């Protein structure tokens, strides 16, 4: 206890700071940033965060003492005093003091950040002002992120399940393959792995935008439109020190094949660890998944989206030309292409630059296809603008519209002469998928991009130049490892005379991004059809024709040309399909409900379904929060029908839903076989 004279004497002394408590646990929980960094205070803009200041010798006196804060990001700074009231504007920097919450010599200060504040690393300084005394302190640094929980933030998304899925969830599914056989590929976004937040902030610092004009870049980081465009350009390395180098050549000797990546963290750590040299190699799903990680960490709601039968319209005429021989072989004659699937991201934000009707989901595509304003970047393009066919809006709306809506002109040629052509207006953008909220299944969002067939707004219809011979193709059994594939061709004769027909079928491997490869199966036969008759012909593609030659998950272009022998009238039909991948079995001995910090055994096995032995097979098991690093086992030769097994001990470190991933790579095949298994971890 002090006498009145002693207390008065102490109050005349200058106010000095002893300690600052960043109240990490309370702030991280309130700001939904637990686990993002082990070193820094991470908070979200538009929401106050708490500091506790402990002073030396005497109490803070609001009548005579002033707390003046200064927040700095780069060369920019904002100064603001601490007051006893909340302040008049939530859109300005401010601080509110609460006296003696914990200790007589302490005060709690709630720092208020605007919902439009730039994203990045800030340093916080404090100047203590007393009569005839002042002292300055560098008290803390903190990372400020976008805030989808704040209604005034441009990235606010209204429902908690959306925020959990599109911001906090660190596991996702990428959809690949074809509309006939959609493949779910697991991906670990990895935003809670050590150092990943800091690496994502490095992406902003390394970008050309920042290097050219640091001050302008810091100011512009308040806008998610700008922020997303910078990140989109930095995921590929075409114009800068970007994260990934693309490779579609099938030669990956100098790096990692795109199909072998299972998560973003490994890629981002390699990029940072190499002093920002591009990681080799990526393709569309890798580019998109890594961008999803970065945007979720920055606080922007983001989801990975797959467009099946995605058009790459190089000349902007909204028509994709495809050329075939009269035997059904697809030719590589056009610069345009249709990718069996193409993967991009959607980010949620308002668009004050375009109008409120274009707020919401925005397409961003980091795969380097075409330049946008001089750089390899695409978007943000409003999904609503694509649906409304307003292709003149920023950014890159016409290109994205073509990806989901372009027409396909199929032309049959021989000896430099056009024999037949048809226009298909429904093939492109046949399905658009993303992962469902809270479930490991696809959500069909096709009609967010286009109106349903048959509606008044959807006026398109498929056309054929000749109508008297109608041909359709349907897949009866998708090719799979160890199993044959089958399809049927249905021919309708619309004329009142019999016909003799020549059928030519061709199956050839293809790249997912559109380029045809070698023919591995073909058929030539003659058919007869009655007047006004309907004829269905079934065909089998033996698995011996495609198994390890194509590999699991491989893509196939299947085409059939029907020719009337008398009139030379022709009809072409084509479909694209993928070989079904076999499964890796993942079984947890104790069931799928696990206890934190307790050992659990997992049995992982793979049985070779191919008729050919697999050489140098490597089985890898991993799972963030479940296993430290990766567990691998190898088999020099895995005979047909034989099984390789591995028992892995996992010790869950974090509660919640977690995912085990298993992948198999083998030397005598181009594919990677992947499976995943979801478990739930609790404290008891």
């Amino acid at each position: 206890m002090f006498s009145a004279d002693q207390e008065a004497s102490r109050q005349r002394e200058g106010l000095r700071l002893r300690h600052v408590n960043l109240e990490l646990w309370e702030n991280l929980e309130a700001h939904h940033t637990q686990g993002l960094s082990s070193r820094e205070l991470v908070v979200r803009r538009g929401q106050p965060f708490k500091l506790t200041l402990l002073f030396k010798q005497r109490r803070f006196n609001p009548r005579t003492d002033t707390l003046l804060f200064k927040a700095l990001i780069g060369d920019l700074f904002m100064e603001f005093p601490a007051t006893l009231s909340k302040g008049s504007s939530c859109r300005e920097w401010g601080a509110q003091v609460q006296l003696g919450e914990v200790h007589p010599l302490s005060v709690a200060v709630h720092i208020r950040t605007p919902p439009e504040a730039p994203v990045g690393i800030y340093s916080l300084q404090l100047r203590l002002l007393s009569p005839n005394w002042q002292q300055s302190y560098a008290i803390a640094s903190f990372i400020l992120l976008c805030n989808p929980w704040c209604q005034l933030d441009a990235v606010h998304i209204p429902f908690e399940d959306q925020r959990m899925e599109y911001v906090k969830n660190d596991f996702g599914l990428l959809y690949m393959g074809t509309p006939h056989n959609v493949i779910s590929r697991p991906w670990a976004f990895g935003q809670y792995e050590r150092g990943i937040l800091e690496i994502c902030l490095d992406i902003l610092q390394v970008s050309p935008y920042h290097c050219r004009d640091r001050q302008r870049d810091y100011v512009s980081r308040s806008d998610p439109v700008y922020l997303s465009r910078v990140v989109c350009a930095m995921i590929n390395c075409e114009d800068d020190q970007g994260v990934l180098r693309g490779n579609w050549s099938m030669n990956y000797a100098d790096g990692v094949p795109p199909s072998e990546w299972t998560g973003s963290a490994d890629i981002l750590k390699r990029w940072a660890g190499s002093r920002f040299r591009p990681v080799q190699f990526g393709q569309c799903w890798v580019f998109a998944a890594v961008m999803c990680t970065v945007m979720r960490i920055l606080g922007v709601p983001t989801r990975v989206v797959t467009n099946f039968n995605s058009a790459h319209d190089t000349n902007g005429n909204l028509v994709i030309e495809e050329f075939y021989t009269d035997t059904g072989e697809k030719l590589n004659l056009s610069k345009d292409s249709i990718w069996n699937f193409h993967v991009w991201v959607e980010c949620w934000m308002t668009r004050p630059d375009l109008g409120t009707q274009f707020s919401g989901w925005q397409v961003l595509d980091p795969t380097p296809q075409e330049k946008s304003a001089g750089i390899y970047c695409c978007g943000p393009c409003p999904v609503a603008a694509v649906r409304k066919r307003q292709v003149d809006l920023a950014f890159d709306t016409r290109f994205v519209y073509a990806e989901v809506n372009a027409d396909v002109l199929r032309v049959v040629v021989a000896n430099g002469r056009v024999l037949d052509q048809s226009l298909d207006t429904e093939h492109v953008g046949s399905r658009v998928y993303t992962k469902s909220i809270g479930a490991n299944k696809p959500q069909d969002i096709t009609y967010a991009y286009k109106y349903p067939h048959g509606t008044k707004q959807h006026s398109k219809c498929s056309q054929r130049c000749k109508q008297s011979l109608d041909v359709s193709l349907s897949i009866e059994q998708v090719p799979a490892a160890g199993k044959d594939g089958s399809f049927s061709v249905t021919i309708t004769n619309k004329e009142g005379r019999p016909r003799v027909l020549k059928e030519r079928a061709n199956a050839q491997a293809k790249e997912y991004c559109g380029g045809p490869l070698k023919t591995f199966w073909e058929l030539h036969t003659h058919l007869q059809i009655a007047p006004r008759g309907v004829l269905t012909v079934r065909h089998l593609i033996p698995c011996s024709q495609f198994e390890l030659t194509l590999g699991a998950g491989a893509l196939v272009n299947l085409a059939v040309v029907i020719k009337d022998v008398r009139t030379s009238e022709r009809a072409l039909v084509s479909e694209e399909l993928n070989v079904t991948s076999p499964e890796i079995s993942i079984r947890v001995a104790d069931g799928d409900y696990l206890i934190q910090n307790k050992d659990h055994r997992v049995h992982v096995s793979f049985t070779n379904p191919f008729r050919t032995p697999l050489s140098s097979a490597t089985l890898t098991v991993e799972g963030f929060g479940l296993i430290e690093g990766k567990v691998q086992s190898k088999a020099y030769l895995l005979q047909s029908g034989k099984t390789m097994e591995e028992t892995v001990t996992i010790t869950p470190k974090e509660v919640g839903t977690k995912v085990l991933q298993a992948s198999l790579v083998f030397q005598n095949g181009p594919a990677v076989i992947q499976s995943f298994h979801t478990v739930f971890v609790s404290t008891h």
Side-chain angles (χ1 to χ4, degrees):
M1 298 290 291
F2 300 105
S3 68
D5 289 341
Q6 287 175 319
E7 182 63 26
S9 174
R10 296 172 72 87
Q11 287 295 331
R12 285 193 294 271
E13 295 180 4
L15 191 66
R16 291 175 172 84
L17 185 66
R18 173 182 293 175
H19 177 69
V20 179
N21 186 343
L22 299 183
E23 305 292 354
L24 279 175
W25 184 88
E26 182 178 340
N27 284 321
L28 297 181
E29 183 178 45
H31 287 254
H32 306 278
T33 55
Q34 306 100 313
L36 286 181
S37 176
S38 59
R39 306 193 302 267
E40 300 282 356
L41 171 62
V42 185
V43 294
R44 300 190 186 276
R45 63 190 189 180
Q47 180 177 343
F49 63 92
K50 179 182 176 181
L51 305 175
T52 299
L53 307 179
L54 180 64
F55 300 107
K56 296 179 181 178
Q57 298 180 332
R58 74 170 179 86
R59 299 173 180 174
F60 168 75
N61 185 340
R63 292 191 299 272
T64 60
D65 300 323
T66 299
L67 306 180
L68 186 62
F69 288 92
K70 186 177 184 179
L72 303 94
I73 180 170
D75 298 328
L76 301 177
F77 66 89
M78 293 65 62
E79 280 191 320
F80 48 96
T83 63
L84 294 176
S85 62
K86 286 187 176 181
S88 58
S89 175
C90 60
R91 292 187 178 274
E92 296 177 353
W93 288 84
Q96 181 189 8
V97 175
Q98 290 180 317
L99 300 175
E101 267 193 354
V102 178
H103 187 277
L105 299 184
S106 74
V107 296
V109 181
H110 295 266
I111 305 293
R112 185 177 65 249
T113 62
E116 303 92 355
V119 167
I121 302 177
Y122 287 76
S123 59
L124 189 64
Q125 298 177 1
L126 171 63
R127 191 147 52 109
L128 301 180
L129 301 175
S130 302
N132 304 315
W133 168 265
Q134 62 175 298
Q135 181 74 47
S136 295
Y137 302 88
I139 61 171
S141 65
F142 63 93
I143 295 172
L144 190 63
L145 305 177
C146 294
N147 192 352
W149 283 265
C150 174
Q151 292 188 6
L152 296 177
D153 197 309
V155 304
H156 174 255
I157 194 166
F159 300 109
E160 182 63 14
D161 61 346
Q162 295 174 321
R163 295 187 284 262
M164 294 299 293
E165 182 68 49
Y166 302 137
V167 180
K168 299 193 74 173
N169 192 6
D170 63 347
F171 167 80
L173 294 176
L174 316 180
Y175 296 104
M176 306 167 73
T178 66
H180 297 290
N181 185 21
V182 176
I183 296 172
S184 300
R185 181 188 183 96
W187 191 270
F189 293 117
Q191 59 262 47
Y192 304 112
E193 292 203 30
R194 186 183 299 272
I196 296 301
L197 168 61
E198 290 77 9
I199 293 171
C200 291
L201 294 173
D202 286 340
I203 289 174
L204 302 181
Q205 299 297 107
V206 172
S207 81
Y209 293 88
H210 184 77
C211 296
R212 281 195 299 266
D213 191 335
R214 290 162 52 92
Q215 186 165 317
R216 183 177 180 181
D217 174 63
Y218 280 129
V219 171
S220 300
R221 287 189 200 176
S222 61
D223 181 7
V225 174
Y226 172 85
L227 202 62
S228 63
R229 194 160 169 82
V230 170
V231 172
C232 187
M234 280 296 297
I235 296 301
N236 70 74
C237 68
E238 296 301 315
D239 311 289
D240 42 47
Q241 290 180 277
V243 175
L244 278 159
R245 186 180 304 282
N247 186 342
W248 288 265
S249 71
M250 307 293 285
N251 180 5
Y252 309 118
D254 296 332
V256 177
S259 59
E260 292 189 17
W261 298 116
T262 57
S264 302
D266 192 11
I267 294 169
L268 291 167
K269 288 177 181 178
R270 291 190 188 206
W271 177 73
S274 68
R275 299 180 63 86
F276 314 127
R277 289 196 299 269
V279 177
Q280 301 180 150
F281 295 105
Q283 291 181 0
C284 70
W285 68 92
V286 185
F287 287 112
V290 173
M291 181 169 181
C292 183
T293 295
V294 178
M295 297 308 294
R296 285 186 182 183
I297 278 186
L298 296 179
V300 181
T302 305
R303 61 190 187 183
V304 181
V305 170
T306 300
N307 178 37
F308 289 98
N309 298 332
S310 186
H312 182 180
D313 182 20
T314 57
N315 57 13
N317 67 351
L318 303 181
V319 177
I320 308 298
E321 295 86 7
E322 293 186 340
F323 296 92
Y324 290 81
T325 68
D326 57 354
T327 63
E329 181 182 5
K330 191 175 184 179
L331 302 172
N332 198 3
L333 298 180
S334 175
K335 292 184 178 180
D336 291 345
S337 60
I338 297 177
W339 299 23
N340 290 85
F341 63 92
H342 182 47
V343 185
W344 56 65
V345 301
E346 290 178 358
C347 293
W348 181 276
M349 65 189 73
T350 60
R351 292 300 300 268
D353 55 325
L354 301 179
T356 56
Q357 69 271 33
F358 297 112
S359 296
W361 290 115
Q362 314 287 320
V363 172
L364 286 131
D365 188 352
T367 300
Q369 296 183 86
E370 301 290 335
K371 287 190 174 184
S372 170
I375 59 172
Y376 280 100
C377 167
C378 180
C381 158
V383 173
V386 176
R387 192 171 198 255
K388 294 176 180 179
R389 305 179 188 176
Q390 294 191 232
V391 298
D392 56 334
L393 296 181
F395 293 92
D396 310 302
T397 309
R398 185 176 184 86
F399 184 79
V400 177
Y401 178 85
E403 288 184 297
V404 295
N405 280 298
D407 296 335
V408 183
L409 180 65
R410 296 191 180 98
V411 183
V412 180
V413 296
N415 301 319
R417 194 163 56 90
V418 175
L419 304 179
D420 180 77
Q421 60 182 9
S422 61
L423 189 69
D424 187 341
T425 60
E426 305 297 350
H427 179 72
V428 168
S430 58
R431 290 186 194 175
V432 184
Y433 276 179
T434 190
K435 179 184 174 296
S436 293
I437 294 176
N440 292 332
K441 61 181 182 180
Q443 177 187 353
D444 190 334
I445 57 171
T446 309
Y447 298 139
Y449 286 82
K450 56 174 71 179
Y451 292 101
H453 300 166
T455 61
K456 181 180 179 181
Q457 296 91 338
H458 189 281
S459 58
K460 289 179 151 191
C461 60
S462 291
Q463 308 167 29
R464 283 200 58 82
C465 298
K466 301 175 183 179
Q467 297 291 333
S468 63
L469 191 63
D470 186 49
V471 180
S472 64
L473 186 154
S474 61
I475 308 300
E476 295 187 336
Q477 180 174 303
V478 175
K483 297 180 180 179
D484 300 330
S486 63
F487 67 97
S488 62
V489 179
T490 300
I491 307 164
T492 303
N493 180 8
K494 296 184 178 181
E495 291 192 350
R497 62 174 181 82
R499 295 188 185 218
V500 177
L501 307 173
K502 184 181 290 185
E503 179 193 21
R504 291 184 170 180
N506 184 289
Q508 59 193 125
K510 72 181 297 289
E511 299 170 316
Y512 87 93
C513 52
L517 302 173
K518 61 183 178 181
T519 294
F520 64 87
W521 175 87
E522 56 186 340
L523 175 144
H524 296 179
T525 187
H526 284 76
L527 305 169
Q528 292 185 341
I529 187 170
R532 309 289 180 190
V534 178
L535 177 65
T536 298
V537 185
R538 291 178 172 81
H539 298 299
L540 190 73
I541 304 179
C543 64
S544 59
Q545 297 281 326
F546 59 80
E547 269 209 341
L548 290 181
T549 305
L550 298 182
L555 295 161
V556 176
N557 190 88
L558 180 63
V560 176
V561 177
I562 301 295
K563 175 185 175 182
D564 186 309
V565 173
R566 186 177 67 87
T567 66
S568 295
E569 177 186 350
R570 288 177 175 82
L572 165 71
V573 288
S574 67
E575 286 284 358
E576 289 171 348
L577 53 134
N578 51 308
V579 179
T580 299
S581 180
E583 292 284 323
I584 301 172
S585 172
I586 305 173
R587 183 175 60 84
V588 184
D590 302 329
D592 296 336
Y593 289 85
L594 311 183
I595 306 299
Q596 185 182 22
N597 296 321
K598 179 183 175 182
D599 290 347
H600 299 268
R601 286 181 302 127
V602 179
H603 303 290
V604 183
S605 63
F606 174 78
T607 301
N608 180 9
F610 301 104
R611 300 181 184 181
T612 307
L614 303 180
S615 61
S616 299
T618 301
L619 180 66
T620 303
V621 182
E622 58 189 305
F624 178 70
L626 300 172
I627 305 174
E628 282 291 331
K630 301 178 181 181
V631 177
Q632 290 188 331
S633 62
K634 297 186 178 183
Y636 176 73
L637 194 68
L638 185 62
Q639 297 288 349
S640 176
K642 298 298 182 180
T643 300
M644 65 183 300
E645 298 179 275
E646 180 71 29
T647 299
V648 179
T649 299
I650 64 174
T651 309
K653 298 300 182 183
E654 300 178 9
V655 298
T657 302
K658 300 297 174 185
V659 178
L660 276 165
Q661 294 191 62
S663 58
L664 181 73
V665 180
F666 44 95
Q667 193 175 63
N668 56 330
V672 176
I673 297 168
Q674 294 185 320
S675 294
F676 69 97
H677 189 78
T678 303
V679 296
F680 183 79
V681 181
S682 61
T683 55
H684 58 276

